[in-house]
């Protein structure tokens, strides 16, 4: 009954790997890294983040630095959002597209100064993205892939600020999607008020070895003891983001989907001058979408999973891209693409789960109202 | 790893406890640990007779769905109702309150094909 998934072919380990082993984490291959999928229970870890605070090792994510007088021009050419709106200390959610409008990756753009940006990309796409950046570097910006040097912890949950503030050498007073430079446990880092959970949360970018990793980790866990701070694995990271309806590259978005149909029109600035994919996306917008990513919920006892069909009266109208049973709502929830005409709130649809039609309906995101 | 001596085990990480001609079936401690949080158990209570190795239901964990296989031939007579509301019992008490189904066994000879605790322990490398 068990699908054998325990291959340990992944080469890379993060600097927190020894800590994960010590905590008894279940380790899986993810994007070439040996990553903790869970420590105790995905559901318990999920609730820990919603209720108090949890810590994720997401050091597998990639960091590319763009430097030089043409750094902004490069970023604006290669991403769909308008990076000229950024100021020092500001973060922006964005995406890179191919000329045909398909998505290369979604990413975070950090403006460190007018001639330095940090692009944070998905672990599974680091090589592809970096090559894409180099191929399209018509401005000759300096591009440096520092993914292997950076450690990244996400501290997420309503008590996250209290924990961070206890161990940070500066007053942490950050608005959403803003960042600062400060020290924790004597180590220089970027503290960014970002995350992938929908909760108040911070992400800590820093360089160092295993000993530095231990220092920061221990400082956070000592400070977080009173909030029952816990390590959280990739399993809960996925269910937390899904409850908010955040897209996951490889599931909900990829090179076959464009940002408009994925509900990412809000980051796609079609009025911006020249960017890769603009021509196609303008045309897509004029001609209208053929399908849209929607959120669905069911009252049944079933588990919608990636790849299952979405049907109405036995006719396929789309497919599920992400699904789970929400640990908070205790109901099946899913994201999926459906033909445009059905992408209307309250439309009754079915999940086709192993040839059973399971009733569900389309709702507005997020699943969890914050 | 808990592997009770008085049970029989299958390659699919299920256990069976035989009481007279009744077999109580569940999944092993090892299996629940590998699957992680169990969220649904789906078994048609009216399916009647199933053959050894047949699928009689599915078990949904957060990460994956797996089939449940009949360790031996029999007629499904009871499904653990408690699991409807508390599927996590399979995680917390896999050999007790987390039992899954009861079968009226139709061919007791088939029990010989199953593993004892020692053999199962070897299989999972404990």
């Amino acid at each position: 009954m068990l699908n054998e998934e325990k291959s340990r072919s992944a080469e890379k380990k993060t600097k927190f790997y020894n800590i994960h082993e010590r905590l008894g984490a279940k380790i899986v291959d993810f994007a070439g890294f040996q990553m903790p999928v869970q420590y105790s229970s995905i559901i318990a870890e999920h609730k820990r983040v919603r209720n108090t605070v949890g810590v994720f090792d997401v050091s597998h994510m990639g960091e590319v630095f763009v430097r030089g007088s043409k750094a902004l021009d490069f970023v604006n050419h290669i991403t769909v959002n308008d990076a000229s709106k950024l100021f020092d200390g500001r973060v922006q959610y964005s995406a890179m597209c191919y000329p045909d409008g398909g998505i290369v990756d979604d990413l975070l753009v950090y403006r460190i100064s007018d001639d330095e940006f940090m692009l944070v990309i998905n672990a599974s796409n680091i090589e592809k993205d970096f090559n894409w950046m180099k191929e399209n570097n018509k401005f000759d910006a300096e591009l440096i892939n520092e993914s292997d040097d950076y450690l990244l912890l996400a501290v997420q949950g309503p008590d996250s600020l209290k924990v961070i503030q206890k161990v940070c050498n500066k007053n942490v007073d950050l608005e959403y999607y803003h960042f600062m430079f400060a020290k924790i446990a004597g180590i220089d880092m970027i503290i960014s008020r970002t995350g992938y959970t929908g909760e108040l949360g911070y992400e800590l970018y820093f360089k160092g070895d295993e000993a530095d990793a231990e220092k920061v980790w221990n400082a956070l866990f000592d400070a977080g003891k009173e909030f029952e701070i816990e390590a959280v694995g990739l399993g809960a990271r996925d269910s937390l983001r899904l409850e908010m309806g955040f897209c996951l590259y490889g599931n909900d978005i990829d090179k076959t989907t464009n940002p408009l149909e994925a509900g990412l029109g809000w980051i796609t600035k079609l009025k911006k001058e020249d960017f890769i994919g603009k021509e196609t996306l303008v045309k897509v917008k004029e001609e209208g979408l053929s399908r849209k990513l929607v959120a669905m919920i069911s009252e049944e006892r079933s588990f919608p999973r990636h790849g299952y069909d979405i049907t109405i009266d036995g006719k396929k109208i789309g497919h599920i891209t992400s699904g789970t049973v929400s640990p908070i709502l205790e109901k099946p929830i899913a994201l999926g693409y459906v033909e445009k005409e059905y992408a209307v709130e309250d439309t009754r649809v079915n999940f086709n789960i192993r040839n059973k039609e399971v009733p569900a309906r389309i709702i507005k995101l997020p699943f969890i109202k914050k | 790893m808990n592997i009770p001596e008085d049970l029989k085990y299958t390659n699919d990480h299920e256990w069976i406890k035989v009481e007279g001609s009744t077999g109580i079936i569940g999944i092993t401690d090892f299996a629940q640990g590998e699957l992680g949080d169990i969220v649904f158990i789906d078994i048609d209570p009216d399916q009647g007779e199933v053959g050894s190795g047949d699928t009689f239901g599915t078990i949904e964990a957060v990460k994956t769905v797996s089939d449940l296989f009949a360790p031996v031939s029999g007629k499904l007579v009871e499904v653990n109702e408690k699991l409807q509301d508390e599927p996590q019992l399979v995680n917390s008490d896999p050999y007790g309150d987390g039992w899954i189904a009861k079968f009226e066994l139709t061919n007791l000879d088939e029990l010989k094909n199953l593993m004892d605790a020692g053999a199962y322990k070897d299989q999972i490398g404990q």
Side-chain angles (χ1 to χ4, degrees):
Chain A
M1 55 169 289
L2 296 171
N3 306 324
E4 292 308 324
E5 52 164 270
K6 290 204 73 180
S7 67
R8 290 282 182 86
S9 57
E11 290 292 319
K12 290 185 169 180
K13 295 174 179 177
T14 78
K15 302 283 193 318
F16 296 97
Y17 184 82
N18 291 339
I19 297 175
H20 305 322
E21 282 226 306
R22 197 191 310 144
L23 292 173
K26 187 174 290 180
I27 304 288
V28 297
D29 276 11
F30 184 84
F33 285 82
Q34 293 188 23
M35 297 298 290
V37 65
Q38 66 173 70
Y39 298 85
S40 56
S41 138
I42 292 175
I43 294 171
E45 290 162 29
H46 181 113
K47 289 180 177 168
R48 173 59 57 212
V49 172
R50 290 269 179 257
N51 293 332
T52 65
V53 58
V55 178
F56 307 72
D57 170 19
V58 281
S59 304
H60 59 315
M61 301 285 288
E63 293 83 11
V64 173
F65 285 80
V66 185
R67 299 194 180 99
S69 59
K70 295 288 186 181
L72 173 61
D73 293 326
F74 168 79
V75 173
N76 246 349
H77 174 60
I78 204 159
T79 64
V80 300
N81 208 334
D82 187 356
S84 70
K85 294 281 194 289
L86 290 169
F87 45 84
D88 296 354
R90 188 80 165 94
V91 193
Q92 182 179 69
Y93 180 57
S94 192
M96 296 189 289
C97 282
Y98 293 107
D100 71 356
I103 300 174
V104 182
D105 202 359
D106 62 338
L107 73 163
L108 291 179
V109 177
Y110 286 71
R111 178 171 144 149
I112 294 168
S113 68
D114 58 359
D115 59 3
E116 185 175 17
F117 291 78
M118 176 174 75
L119 309 181
V120 181
I121 55 183
N122 282 300
S124 50
N125 293 337
I126 292 173
E127 204 185 328
K128 175 188 79 176
D129 288 3
F130 192 56
N131 286 337
W132 180 252
M133 290 175 198
K134 285 188 291 190
E135 281 164 30
N136 291 282
N137 187 10
K138 66 174 186 180
F139 295 101
D140 263 339
E142 188 186 346
L143 299 176
I144 303 169
N145 178 5
E146 300 197 25
S147 303
D148 287 340
D149 298 331
Y150 269 88
L151 288 68
L152 174 55
L153 290 179
V155 184
Q156 303 279 307
D159 291 322
S160 56
L161 176 58
K162 289 177 219 156
V163 174
I164 299 272
Q165 191 57 78
K166 275 171 78 174
V167 293
C168 184
N169 69 328
K170 287 187 187 166
N171 182 37
V172 180
D173 180 19
L174 290 171
E175 296 288 319
Y176 191 47
Y177 269 63
H178 286 65
F179 69 95
M180 62 192 280
F181 292 92
K183 280 182 205 276
I184 286 177
I187 293 166
D188 287 309
M189 57 179 68
I190 289 174
I191 300 180
S192 159
R193 192 176 148 192
T194 47
Y196 200 36
T197 63
E199 296 297 331
L200 175 65
Y202 298 83
E203 291 179 301
L204 315 177
Y205 297 86
F206 57 103
K207 288 182 177 176
D209 57 15
E210 276 83 1
D212 298 318
E214 290 268 357
K215 265 192 231 165
V216 175
W217 184 277
N218 291 339
L220 292 169
F221 277 75
D222 286 344
K225 210 168 275 171
E226 59 177 305
F227 309 109
E228 297 175 74
I229 197 166
E230 277 181 328
V232 185
L234 294 182
R237 182 170 162 83
D238 189 50
S239 54
L240 286 158
R241 69 95 193 166
L242 190 44
E243 278 185 343
M244 302 310 296
F246 298 151
C247 288
L248 172 63
Y249 193 90
N251 274 35
D252 313 300
I253 52 176
D254 59 28
K255 66 178 181 189
T256 71
T257 64
N258 70 57
L260 303 178
E261 63 193 10
L264 299 178
W266 63 280
I267 63 166
T268 310
K269 307 298 184 195
L270 295 175
K271 290 187 181 134
K272 190 176 75 165
E273 243 180 84
D274 161 62
F275 65 88
I276 301 173
K278 177 180 173 180
E279 211 175 305
T280 312
L281 293 170
V282 166
K283 211 159 122 202
V284 166
K285 176 133 197 209
E286 278 168 11
E287 288 171 359
L289 300 172
S290 60
R291 58 176 189 173
K292 267 175 115 172
L293 190 68
V294 295
M296 294 156 288
I297 190 163
S298 171
E299 304 296 322
E300 304 293 316
R301 306 174 53 77
S302 65
F303 203 121
R305 295 184 193 273
H306 177 83
Y308 291 179
D309 285 349
I310 303 165
T311 63
I312 290 181
D313 297 331
K315 176 179 160 266
K316 179 176 173 178
I317 59 151
H319 65 279
I320 292 170
T321 53
S322 289
T324 192
V325 173
S326 158
I328 302 300
L329 303 173
E330 297 185 336
K331 289 177 184 177
I333 59 173
L335 296 177
Y337 286 96
V338 298
E339 293 168 21
K340 173 76 182 304
E341 55 185 301
Y342 301 107
V344 180
E345 207 183 327
D346 253 345
T347 301
R348 307 284 148 160
V349 299
N350 294 303
F351 299 147
N352 185 280
I353 300 183
R354 292 183 297 283
N355 294 322
K356 244 193 247 173
E357 302 287 327
V358 177
R361 71 189 159 87
I362 294 174
I363 63 164
K364 251 200 197 132
L365 283 172
F367 293 105
I368 305 285
K369 316 290 179 221
K370 301 301 299 180
Chain B
M1 188 69 55
N2 184 8
I3 305 174
E5 290 291 334
D6 58 332
L7 307 177
K8 293 279 199 181
Y9 298 88
T10 73
N11 286 322
D12 299 310
H13 308 283
E14 290 170 17
W15 55 264
I16 181 167
K17 182 178 189 178
V18 181
E19 291 175 343
S21 61
T22 303
I24 304 167
I25 288 164
I27 69 168
T28 65
D29 191 22
F30 174 77
Q32 71 77 20
E34 289 296 304
L35 287 171
D37 298 288
I38 308 294
V39 286
F40 297 127
I41 311 270
D42 186 15
I43 300 171
D44 171 9
D46 302 320
Q47 60 189 289
E49 295 222 14
V50 292
S52 169
D54 288 354
T55 300
F56 69 93
T58 55
I59 184 163
E60 298 261 12
V62 175
K63 284 184 303 176
T64 187
V65 57
S66 296
D67 284 328
L68 291 163
F69 300 103
V72 290
S73 306
K75 180 171 182 270
L76 181 70
V77 289
E78 193 179 342
V79 173
N80 185 356
E81 288 294 331
K82 258 193 183 168
L83 300 183
Q84 287 287 309
D85 293 324
E86 297 177 84
Q88 66 274 18
L89 287 172
V90 176
N91 293 117
S92 59
D93 193 8
Y95 302 111
D97 285 347
W99 66 274
I100 291 171
K102 278 186 196 171
F103 287 83
E104 205 51 46
L105 306 183
T106 49
N107 184 357
L108 291 168
D109 277 352
E110 291 171 351
L111 291 167
K112 289 194 302 237
N113 304 330
L114 303 180
M115 285 177 274
D116 63 15
Y120 182 64
K121 202 175 280 185
D122 288 343
Q123 152 142 340
I124 60 175
Q126 292 293 308

